[in-house]
Amino acid sequence: MYLTELQLDTLREIINVGVGYAAGSLNELVGTPISLRVPEVEVLPLEEARPRVTAFGWDRVASVQLTFSGPINGNVALVFPYENAVKLVSLLTGDEGSNSDVDGIRAATLEETGNIILNGVVGSISNMLQGQISFSIPYYSEQGGLPARFAKLGIAADVQVILARARFGVAQHEIEGEIFLFFEMGALQSMVAALDRFVESPT
């Protein structure tokens, strides 16, 4: 299922509203000015998304993943190349190094950061759908290759993937990650219908 340019623009706008709220929450949490935006959004079937993500060339990734349910059900993940994740945590916390204490700080910081951002994104979508969304506990992982959710899905799975490039601005440094949303086809169709209603509604 492919979205029109107007639908993609509207989806990007809604996601940016969510990450804007998330950036405000992160500012309060860490006391560091943070900008967060999503300039690019794509919607692809799973079989097209996999090679696109593989082309990123990430040998190792750090990711925060959670599931959500409500008007639509799905999975969402915030994924960084491992080096970007280490740099982001260093900027947010001021901690550097690779000992076990720092590793624990990195995992906890990324898990909380990812949870805030992913809740913001999905919450913004749920507001558009005018429904209540429930979230699972976030799960942080570090692994080689693709995010775990990609690896577990069968090739024939009727899954659509939203790829949203996230750009963090922290202390004059820019760090890139990706937000992946996984929907069954029926859930994506419901979201697209809501996008059309959102566009057509009077301002």
Side-chain angles (χ1 to χ4, degrees):
M1 181 176 187
Y2 294 92
L3 275 65
T4 66
E5 197 63 37
L6 179 58
Q7 289 168 337
L8 282 174
D9 286 344
T10 305
L11 178 59
R12 182 170 58 247
E13 175 186 336
I14 289 168
I15 290 175
N16 271 298
V17 169
V19 298
Y21 285 129
S25 297
L26 289 172
N27 286 339
E28 295 179 7
L29 181 66
V30 302
T32 300
I34 297 170
S35 65
L36 181 55
R37 59 194 175 90
V38 175
E40 300 173 33
V41 173
E42 292 182 273
V43 180
L44 302 167
L46 178 64
E47 62 270 20
E48 292 183 28
R50 272 191 168 129
R52 182 71 58 86
V53 174
T54 302
F56 293 162
W58 298 349
D59 295 327
R60 186 180 181 190
V61 298
S63 64
V64 180
Q65 304 169 63
L66 54 82
T67 61
F68 56 90
S69 59
I72 53 174
N73 303 324
N75 297 265
V76 62
L78 176 64
V79 183
F80 294 98
Y82 181 76
E83 295 78 8
N84 287 14
V86 171
K87 184 177 180 181
L88 177 61
V89 172
S90 176
L91 291 169
L92 292 176
T93 66
D95 290 299
E96 299 181 3
S98 59
N99 59 56
S100 58
D101 289 340
V102 173
D103 289 347
I105 290 170
R106 180 179 64 247
T109 301
L110 284 172
E111 186 173 280
E112 182 61 20
T113 299
N115 189 40
I116 290 170
I117 293 169
L118 298 178
N119 274 266
V121 169
V122 179
S124 186
I125 292 173
S126 74
N127 287 339
M128 176 190 67
L129 294 168
Q130 298 181 332
Q132 195 70 29
I133 293 281
S134 299
F135 298 92
S136 70
I137 296 172
Y139 170 70
Y140 174 76
S141 66
E142 297 173 6
Q143 69 270 344
L146 298 176
R149 179 64 179 161
F150 267 10
K152 290 180 180 178
L153 290 171
I155 194 64
D158 186 19
V159 173
Q160 301 286 310
V161 182
I162 297 175
L163 303 181
R165 179 147 296 171
R167 291 183 178 165
F168 294 77
V170 184
Q172 297 182 334
H173 294 271
E174 187 166 276
I175 297 171
E176 287 194 358
E178 297 283 340
I179 299 171
F180 301 156
L181 292 104
F182 303 86
F183 294 102
E184 299 293 331
M185 176 64 84
L188 182 65
Q189 289 172 336
S190 297
M191 190 182 72
V192 169
L195 285 172
D196 289 338
R197 290 194 298 271
F198 183 84
V199 170
E200 295 168 1
S201 64
T203 55

